């Protein structure tokens, strides 16, 4: 059996720092709070932070984080003595991803001090403690997924707003949860204009050019494209049908109630449920 390579920390006072913040987790420290804690740690331990990496609004359940991947690429080139992070779950909320990342970091001669968690750097106790914290982070992540999915299914079954904006609609205001979907008087005319123009035989290219020339934008505040117009024309929401995973139909819907039809009598809105008509869009 091959001997395990002994860890040798780089003999310098250089440090790098990694910060991550998940938008959905309201109890997490912000990037600025993590940076402040890292700077205090560095000053107290004689380190100079030479480079920082920060991923905002990105979950630790995936290692597909641009700055995280850049850090893993550069740590072997910079060869700092320490990578300063806030907590173990900043590296990952998945034990496999965490183990792979830490191997790259430690193979580069870099220790990982966690400024908000007092984990011993030497001895077997630190290994045990770090493993427990990683398991708790993964448990929290899996539990949060279940809670979020349960909430989204509940919203779908009751035709409540589920966090996905649709041009022409808006969520009920002044409510934290169980928001009804209402017609937005500011953007609904844009959708109705698209349906009316298309029903009148106007080509999508012309519709798109006219809307963009008038300064009208998509739900993401971007210029409208042929594809975005196709999506609107074939979106079942505009005939009063709520869709999440499977279709939840809303019967006898009225204006200003859950998922109201935007333009129920326009023939092109019915194309939303007809795959064959997708190839006939002009």
């Amino acid at each position: 059996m091959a001997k395990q390579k002994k860890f040798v920390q780089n003999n310098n006072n250089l440090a790098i720092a990694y910060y991550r913040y998940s938008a959905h987790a309201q109890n997490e420290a912000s990037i600025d709070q993590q940076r402040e804690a890292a700077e205090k740690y560095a000053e107290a331990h004689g380190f100079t932070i030479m480079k920082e990496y920060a991923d905002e609004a990105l979950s630790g359940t995936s290692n597909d984080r641009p700055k995280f991947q850049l850090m893993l690429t550069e740590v072997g080139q910079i060869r700092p003595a320490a990578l300063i992070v806030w907590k173990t779950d900043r590296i990952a909320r998945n034990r496999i991803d965490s183990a792979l990342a830490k191997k790259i970091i430690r193979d580069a001669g870099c220790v990982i001090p966690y400024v908000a968690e007092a984990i011993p750097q030497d001895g077997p106790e630190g290994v045990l403690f770090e493993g427990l914290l990683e398991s708790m982070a993964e448990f929290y992540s899996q539990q949060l997924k279940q809670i979020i999915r349960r909430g989204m299914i509940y919203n779908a079954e009751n035709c409540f707003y589920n966090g996905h904006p649709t041009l022409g609609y808006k969520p009920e205001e002044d409510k934290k949860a169980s928001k009804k979907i209402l017609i937005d008087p500011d953007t609904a005319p844009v959708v109705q204009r698209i349906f009316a123009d298309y029903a009148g035989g106007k080509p999508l290219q012309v519709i798109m050019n006219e809307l963009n020339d008038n300064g009208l934008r998509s739900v993401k505040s971007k210029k409208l494209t042929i594809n975005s117009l196709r999506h609107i024309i074939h979106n079942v929401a505009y005939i009063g049908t709520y869709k999440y995973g499977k279709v939840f139909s809303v019967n006898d819907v009225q204006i200003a109630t859950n998922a109201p039809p935007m333009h129920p009598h326009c023939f092109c809105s019915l194309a939303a449920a007809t795959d064959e008509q997708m190839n006939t869009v002009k």
Side-chain angles (χ1 to χ4, degrees), residues 222-234:
K222 295 182 179 180
K223 284 189 174 183
L224 290 155
T225 65
I226 296 292
N227 285 338
S228 62
L229 291 180
R230 282 198 182 103
H231 177 74
I232 289 171
I233 290 170
H234 294 83

Side-chain angles (χ1 to χ4, degrees), residues 7-12 75-76 79-82 103-111:
F7 172 75
V8 179
Q9 184 180 8
N10 295 321
N11 186 23
N12 57 53
V75 66
R79 300 198 70 81
K103 185 177 187 309
I104 293 172
I105 295 163
R106 286 169 176 160
D107 282 353
C110 183
V111 298

Side-chain angles (χ1 to χ4, degrees), residues 28-39:
E28 285 190 353
S30 68
I31 297 293
D32 288 339
Q33 289 172 315
Q34 293 176 49
R35 178 178 289 112
E36 183 181 353
E39 289 172 349

Side-chain angles (χ1 to χ4, degrees), residues 93 95 133-145:
R93 288 191 182 275
R95 285 170 293 172
L133 290 172
E134 288 173 345
S135 295
M136 288 171 63
E138 186 169 358
F139 169 78
Y140 166 80
S141 177
Q142 295 297 324
Q143 186 183 47
L144 185 62
K145 273 185 185 177

Side-chain angles (χ1 to χ4, degrees), residues 248-264:
F248 295 87
S249 296
V250 184
N251 298 321
D252 301 322
V253 289
Q254 301 296 323
I255 298 300
T257 59
N258 293 339
M262 179 71 65
H263 205 286

Side-chain angles (χ1 to χ4, degrees), residues 33-247:
Q33 289 172 315
Q34 293 176 49
R35 178 178 289 112
E36 183 181 353
E39 289 172 349
K40 285 182 179 178
Y41 180 92
E43 184 179 358
H45 293 80
F47 288 115
T48 300
I49 299 177
M50 61 175 302
K51 188 159 186 179
E52 298 176 315
Y53 305 85
D55 285 311
E56 296 192 46
L58 291 175
S59 171
T61 56
S62 168
N63 61 9
D64 187 18
R65 291 167 266 150
K67 298 301 182 182
F68 180 70
Q69 289 298 327
L70 179 61
M71 181 270 294
L72 292 180
T73 300
E74 294 185 343
V75 66
Q77 302 165 10
I78 299 172
R79 300 198 70 81
L83 163 66
I84 304 173
V85 296
W86 183 53
K87 286 185 175 182
T88 54
D89 61 11
R90 299 306 84 192
I91 298 292
R93 288 191 182 275
N94 176 298
R95 285 170 293 172
I96 295 175
D97 288 343
S98 179
L100 293 173
K102 286 191 298 185
K103 185 177 187 309
I104 293 172
I105 295 163
R106 286 169 176 160
D107 282 353
C110 183
V111 298
I112 311 173
Y114 306 103
V115 298
E117 295 169 333
I119 300 177
Q121 291 292 328
D122 300 317
E125 299 87 357
V127 175
L128 176 62
F129 191 23
E130 188 173 1
L132 287 172
L133 290 172
E134 288 173 345
S135 295
M136 288 171 63
E138 186 169 358
F139 169 78
Y140 166 80
S141 177
Q142 295 297 324
Q143 186 183 47
L144 185 62
K145 273 185 185 177
Q146 285 187 346
I147 293 170
I148 292 173
R149 178 160 177 76
R150 195 180 303 129
M152 295 186 78
I153 290 174
Y154 171 82
N155 285 344
E157 289 174 343
N158 292 275
C159 296
F160 292 137
Y161 179 69
N162 227 345
H164 301 290
T166 302
L167 188 67
Y169 292 115
K170 66 177 183 178
E172 194 174 10
E173 297 177 356
D174 301 323
K175 287 187 73 176
K176 290 186 177 180
S178 302
K179 299 179 181 181
K180 292 181 179 180
I181 301 171
L182 309 177
I183 286 181
D184 181 358
D186 294 328
T187 59
V190 178
V191 177
Q192 291 164 334
R193 173 179 169 178
I194 292 168
F195 281 138
D197 285 350
Y198 184 71
K202 189 176 289 188
L204 286 182
Q205 183 71 48
V206 175
I207 297 173
M208 179 192 74
N209 291 338
E210 290 179 353
L211 293 172
N212 287 331
D213 289 345
N214 291 158
L216 300 172
R217 296 295 180 258
S218 71
V219 72
K220 295 181 180 179
S221 301
K222 295 182 179 180
K223 284 189 174 183
L224 290 155
T225 65
I226 296 292
N227 285 338
S228 62
L229 291 180
R230 282 198 182 103
H231 177 74
I232 289 171
I233 290 170
H234 294 83
N235 191 339
V236 294
Y238 298 122
I239 54 173
T241 299
Y242 188 108
K243 186 175 182 181
Y244 173 76
K246 60 179 181 177
V247 174

